């Protein structure tokens, strides 16, 4: 069994800018509430980071053949 958690990341104006997906291969290592709390706590910082770096983040089609 695997535990997944997903959090939409919004920028300061409330626009969705990213999605964070967490996969825990050991579902006993984390509780659902702990993951929700940690993702909620971190989401504002992630939103600011993505907004700040927006001009430097390539579109998936731009890096498709680069094998990154």
């Amino acid at each position: 069994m695997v535990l997944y958690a997903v959090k939409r990341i919004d920028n300061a104006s409330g626009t969705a800018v990213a999605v964070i997906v967490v996969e825990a291969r050991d579902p006993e290592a984390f509780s659902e509430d702990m993951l929700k709390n940690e993702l909620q706590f971190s989401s504002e910082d992630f939103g600011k980071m993505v907004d700040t770096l927006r001009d430097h983040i390539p579109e998936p089609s731009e890096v498709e053949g680069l094998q990154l």
Side-chain angles (χ1 to χ4, degrees):
M1 181 174 184
V2 178
L3 175 65
Y4 294 99
V6 179
K7 175 69 176 154
R8 185 184 81 190
I9 304 300
D10 297 335
N11 64 12
S13 63
T15 301
V17 293
V19 175
I20 295 177
V21 178
V22 176
E23 175 185 20
R25 293 181 183 259
D26 178 4
E28 302 299 320
F30 305 99
S31 72
E32 182 179 347
D33 287 337
M34 188 278 275
L35 282 176
K36 284 181 180 179
N37 290 338
E38 290 298 324
L39 288 173
Q40 183 61 40
F41 177 76
S42 302
S43 65
E44 186 177 328
D45 290 334
F46 280 120
K48 288 177 184 176
M49 180 182 69
V50 170
D51 227 20
T52 299
L53 298 173
R54 179 179 296 276
D55 293 336
H56 304 285
I57 300 172
E59 293 293 324
S61 61
E62 295 172 337
V63 296
E64 186 175 335
L66 296 180
Q67 300 177 347
L68 298 175

